[in-house]
Amino acid sequence: MGEADDNDHNDRVARREVDRHDPTRGAEGPARMKVFLAQPRGFCAGVERAIAIVERALEIYGPPVYVRHEIVHNAHVVKSLRAKGARFVDEIDEIPAGAVTVFSAHGVSKRVADEATARGLPVIDATCPLVAKVHKEARNYERAGNEVVLIGHHGHPEVEGTRGRVEGHVHLVSSVADVEALRVEDPKKVSYVTQTTLSVDDTRDVIEALARRFPSIDGPSVRDICYATQNRQHAIRQLAERVELILVIGSRNSSNSNRLREISEEARVPTYLIDGPESIASEWFEGIDAVGITAGASAPEVLVRDVLDHLSRLASIEVEQLDGVEEQVHFKMPRKLVST
C-alpha cells in the first residue's frame, strides 16, 4: 500500500473518530448509512446446479435423498435442504441400501465413487463441472508420465477428491515454502492443477515458484481458473475502496468466503464473516457511514436481503449496487434428472 493509500485510510479513521461524537447519532450506531453491494456476489453456477440437483432428486424420488458431504459449504443451504428431506453423511457406509445418493459439488475420490458402485447405490453426481475438469486434467497429466502437483488447502473436500482421482502420489502445495521443499523423481516431468476456489491472484506466487524450480512444468491455462472465484475477489477489492466496513456473508467452512474476508482485511477494512443477520452486532457500525456487503459463492441472495433488512432496523440506509461482471454461466443438469 502506497503513501496516498495510507493517507486515505488515516483520513477515514479520523472521520470515524469525529463521527462517534456526532450528537445526531444514536447510541446503537449511525442514524444514516450508505450500503454498497458487491457485484458479482453469492451463488456461482456450480453451486446453483448442485442445489438444484438435490431439490430435483427430492421431487422425483421423494425423501430421503442422501448427500455425501455437505452439498455446498453454507449452513443456510444445508439447513434448508435438510428440512426438505436431504440427509447429509460423511461416508458412503452411512447410506442405507438402495437409497438415492448425491455426490457434493466438491467432487469425490475414486475410492468413494467405487464404494458407491460396489454397494449398488443409485448415484447422482453434483460435482461442479469445473472441478470435474480439474480431475480430468490431473489424470491426463499422470497418464503422460508426469508427477502431479495440486495447489490447494489440506483437508478441503475438493482437494481430497482431486487427489483421490489420481492413481499415483499427488504433491499438495499451498505456499512458496511448500514448493521449495518439494521433492520429485524427475524435475522435467512435472505438471500442476489447482483447487477451483483459488483465484489467479491466490495461485500466482506458487505457480511462479513452481516454474522457477521446474522450468518445463506443464499446467492448465489461466482461463481454466474458476471464473466465480476470480470475479468475487475482484469485486471485493473494488468494494474495499468505497467503504469503512465490510460484511462477508458465508459460512466458516467456506474456503472462498474466508478468502474474501482475508482480501478485505488486507485492504485494511474492518471485515466480518457472518452466516446471516443473527451474527451481526450493532456496535460494529458506531461511527460508520459506508458499509459494503458481499457473499461467498455458496451463500444465497436471500441472506443478502435478510442482512439489508436487519441493517435497515439499525439505521436509515441507502443501498447501491456497484458495477461489475454480469455472470452468464449455466451448467446442465444430469440427464437422468432432466428426462424424468
Side-chain angles (χ1 to χ4, degrees):
M1 180 175 289
E3 182 178 348
D5 293 326
D6 284 332
N7 290 338
D8 179 65
H9 173 75
N10 292 335
D11 287 344
R12 284 187 291 171
V13 171
R15 286 198 301 273
R16 289 202 295 270
E17 291 300 323
V18 171
D19 287 341
R20 286 193 179 96
H21 301 286
D22 185 342
T24 67
R25 293 175 180 270
E28 297 301 318
R32 297 174 303 277
M33 191 161 58
K34 186 69 177 287
V35 180
F36 294 91
L37 303 179
Q39 173 63 24
R41 63 182 179 277
F43 280 173
C44 63
V47 165
E48 288 181 340
R49 174 180 180 269
I51 295 170
I53 284 173
V54 177
E55 292 177 334
R56 180 64 175 148
L58 286 166
E59 290 175 5
I60 295 172
Y61 304 106
V65 165
Y66 286 80
V67 184
R68 199 272 182 180
H69 194 72
E70 292 184 352
I71 188 67
V72 297
H73 281 160
N74 184 267
H76 177 90
V77 169
V78 170
K79 181 180 179 181
S80 175
L81 291 175
R82 185 176 285 123
K84 296 176 182 179
R87 299 290 180 265
F88 298 93
V89 300
D90 292 324
E91 298 298 339
I92 293 297
D93 61 12
E94 299 175 54
I95 301 173
V100 174
T101 302
V102 177
F103 292 156
S104 79
H106 311 97
V108 300
S109 66
K110 186 174 184 297
R111 176 192 65 79
V112 170
D114 288 348
E115 184 180 349
T117 299
R119 293 195 55 207
L121 295 175
V123 170
I124 305 169
D125 192 355
T127 300
C128 172
L130 295 180
V131 174
K133 185 176 182 180
V134 173
H135 291 176
K136 182 178 179 181
E137 288 170 340
R139 290 194 299 269
N140 287 343
Y141 288 140
E142 183 184 44
R143 292 188 187 112
N146 292 357
E147 288 184 68
V148 178
V149 177
L150 171 58
I151 303 171
H153 297 309
H154 179 75
H156 192 279
E158 181 186 331
V159 166
E160 297 307 311
T162 299
R163 295 179 85 175
R165 288 290 173 170
V166 177
E167 292 185 6
H169 178 69
V170 175
H171 304 276
L172 179 63
V173 297
S174 302
S175 65
V176 172
D178 290 341
V179 175
E180 298 305 322
L182 194 59
R183 297 292 177 266
V184 300
E185 293 184 9
D186 184 353
K188 295 182 180 180
K189 299 286 287 182
V190 181
S191 297
Y192 74 87
V193 292
T194 71
Q195 181 180 327
T196 64
T197 52
L198 301 178
S199 71
V200 173
D201 295 332
D202 293 332
T203 58
R204 182 177 291 109
D205 290 346
V206 176
I207 292 173
E208 289 176 353
L210 285 169
R212 287 193 298 271
R213 281 212 60 198
F214 312 108
S216 60
I217 194 168
D218 191 16
S221 165
V222 293
R223 292 190 301 272
D224 290 346
I225 293 288
C226 176
Y227 73 94
T229 299
Q230 189 68 31
N231 289 346
R232 280 152 189 72
Q233 291 188 11
H234 178 70
I236 199 169
R237 289 188 173 94
Q238 290 183 314
L239 191 64
E241 296 174 356
R242 303 284 297 272
V243 302
E244 299 161 288
L245 179 146
I246 288 179
L247 303 176
V248 177
I249 302 172
S251 293
R252 298 286 170 180
N253 61 342
S254 167
S255 175
N256 73 87
S257 297
N258 276 285
R259 182 61 184 133
L260 291 176
R261 174 186 54 79
E262 291 170 359
I263 290 170
S264 179
E265 290 175 342
E266 289 166 4
R268 300 176 67 183
V269 177
T271 306
Y272 299 93
L273 177 62
I274 61 172
D275 281 314
E278 69 280 359
S279 305
I280 293 174
S282 58
E283 58 265 26
W284 296 346
F285 307 97
E286 293 179 7
I288 298 295
D289 290 314
V291 174
I293 297 176
T294 190
S298 52
E301 184 66 13
V302 65
L303 292 180
V304 176
R305 296 196 297 270
D306 289 347
V307 167
L308 288 173
D309 288 343
H310 183 83
L311 294 182
S312 70
R313 292 191 287 271
L314 298 179
S316 174
I317 65 173
E318 178 186 350
V319 181
E320 177 182 335
Q321 178 168 287
L322 299 182
D323 292 334
V325 175
E326 294 285 345
E327 293 174 345
Q328 302 295 330
V329 179
H330 298 283
F331 295 132
K332 293 180 180 179
M333 293 279 281
R335 189 171 303 170
K336 65 174 65 176
L337 297 183
V338 174
S339 59
T340 302

